[in-house]
């Protein structure tokens, strides 16, 4: 299993990632700065996010969501201080950067590596930080996201796309006007995205510096293990 997926998970272990300059020369005109200032994380913000999280089993860090929910305010403030320090330095404790990969069959009971989907599970402590900052990033994203984008946007969903397509098809059938479409499916798309290029793109777009440092630190220090 590891031999099969190593080439994908470690694509840039021996070869350099794509450089920013050629990418910017081709696509730079579509990148527009939208400055973001996220502010410091507080115990109250962590509590708000925890309230919405469902119970789950312990992850690699040994914590349960229910246990985190029971922490008193002073303990949550210490956690908030920790997150703010990570955003200032870009450094995470190694114990929180262990990620466990579980292989889920796409269909049937096949054990063929090509027919399995890797699900990476990180620590609850790390994911809690990501959940808090996701609220900020989604608000910032609305400043620049294209109106045709529907994925992972509050208030928009795949149903909106389906309804629009249905109306276009209906109009084409009634009017006799030709209608064309195309569908693209990139194999292992998210696993192939170069992290360095993505982080630089976020910086050029204006992502808050603290979030960028913490996210970059997580990507560079994370180590994965197959379950």
């Amino acid at each position: 299993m590891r031999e099969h997926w190593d080439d994908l998970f470690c694509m840039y272990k021996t070869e350099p990632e794509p450089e920013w300059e050629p990418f910017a020369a081709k696509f730079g005109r579509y990148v527009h700065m939208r400055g973001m200032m996220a502010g410091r994380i507080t115990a109250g913000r962590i509590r708000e996010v925890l309230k919405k999280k469902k119970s789950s089993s312990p992850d690699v860090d040994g914590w349960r969501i229910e246990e985190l929910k029971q922490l008193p305010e002073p303990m949550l403030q210490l956690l908030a201080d920790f997150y703010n320090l990570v955003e200032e330095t870009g450094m995470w404790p190694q114990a929180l950067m262990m990620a466990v990969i579980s292989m889920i069959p796409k269909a049937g009971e096949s054990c063929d590596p090509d027919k399995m989907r890797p699900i990476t599970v990180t620590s609850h402590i790390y994911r809690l930080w990501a959940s808090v900052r996701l609220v900020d990033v989604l608000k910032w994203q609305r400043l620049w996201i294209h109106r045709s984008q529907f994925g992972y946007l509050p208030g928009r969903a795949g149903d909106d796309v389906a309804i629009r397509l249905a109306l276009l098809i209906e109009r084409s059938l009634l009017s006799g006007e030709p209608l064309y479409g195309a569908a693209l499916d990139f194999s292992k798309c998210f696993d192939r995205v170069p992290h360095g290029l993505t982080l630089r793109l976020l910086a050029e777009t204006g992502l808050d510096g603290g979030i960028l440092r913490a996210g970059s630190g997580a990507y560079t220090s994370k180590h994965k293990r197959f379950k």
Side-chain angles (χ1 to χ4, degrees):
M1 186 69 71
R2 178 173 177 176
E3 291 178 359
H4 179 86
W5 284 95
D6 260 359
D7 290 341
L8 184 61
F9 288 146
C10 304
M11 286 183 64
Y12 303 109
K13 187 175 183 178
T14 57
E15 298 181 7
E17 287 192 11
E19 296 182 354
W20 168 255
E21 286 71 21
F23 178 88
K26 189 172 184 179
F27 301 106
R29 63 183 182 275
Y30 302 113
V31 180
H32 303 289
M33 172 64 73
R34 296 290 189 274
M36 175 189 180
M37 295 292 290
R40 293 175 66 82
I41 295 176
T42 63
R45 293 205 56 197
I46 296 176
R47 181 75 71 192
E48 289 176 8
V49 171
L50 281 171
K51 287 178 181 178
K52 300 177 182 178
K53 285 189 171 293
K54 298 179 180 179
S55 300
S56 64
S57 57
D59 276 334
V60 290
D61 55 11
W63 282 94
R64 293 181 173 87
I65 288 296
E66 284 303 317
E67 293 171 338
L68 292 172
K69 287 183 177 181
Q70 297 302 317
L71 290 178
E73 212 69 12
M75 291 293 291
L76 285 184
Q77 187 55 54
L78 287 175
L79 184 57
D81 293 341
F82 163 71
Y83 287 148
N84 291 321
L85 181 61
V86 170
E87 291 186 352
E88 291 173 7
T89 63
M91 298 176 62
W92 289 88
Q94 197 63 43
L96 296 181
M97 290 293 98
M98 169 73 76
V100 176
I101 303 172
S102 298
M103 305 303 296
I104 309 298
K106 292 182 179 179
E109 300 296 328
S110 175
C111 291
D112 184 340
D114 269 333
K115 296 180 180 179
M116 302 186 79
R117 189 184 306 279
I119 304 297
T120 303
V121 179
T122 53
S123 74
H124 278 310
I125 300 295
Y126 167 77
R127 284 152 58 192
L128 181 55
W129 167 81
S131 296
V132 171
R133 282 316 192 187
L134 178 61
V135 176
D136 301 316
V137 171
L138 288 177
K139 291 178 182 177
W140 168 69
Q141 182 180 250
R142 285 194 172 277
L143 299 177
W144 52 265
I145 200 70
H146 195 273
R147 63 180 181 276
S148 63
Q149 177 69 35
F150 290 89
Y152 221 83
L153 282 172
R156 302 186 191 181
D159 292 346
D160 299 313
V161 180
I163 291 172
R164 292 190 180 198
L165 290 176
L167 291 173
L168 288 172
I169 293 171
E170 185 72 15
R171 185 176 70 178
S172 177
L173 292 173
L174 293 174
S175 66
E177 296 180 3
L179 180 67
Y180 304 94
L184 299 176
D185 184 9
F186 292 97
S187 173
K188 311 295 188 297
C189 177
F190 292 107
D191 296 308
R192 297 180 187 275
V193 174
H195 296 157
L197 194 62
T198 302
L199 293 167
R200 176 64 183 273
L201 182 59
L202 288 169
E204 296 291 332
T205 309
L207 181 67
D208 177 81
I211 299 176
L212 189 64
R213 280 189 293 273
S216 177
Y219 276 119
T220 55
S221 61
K222 187 179 298 179
H223 50 288
K224 300 179 178 181
R225 297 288 186 270
F226 281 98
K227 186 175 181 179

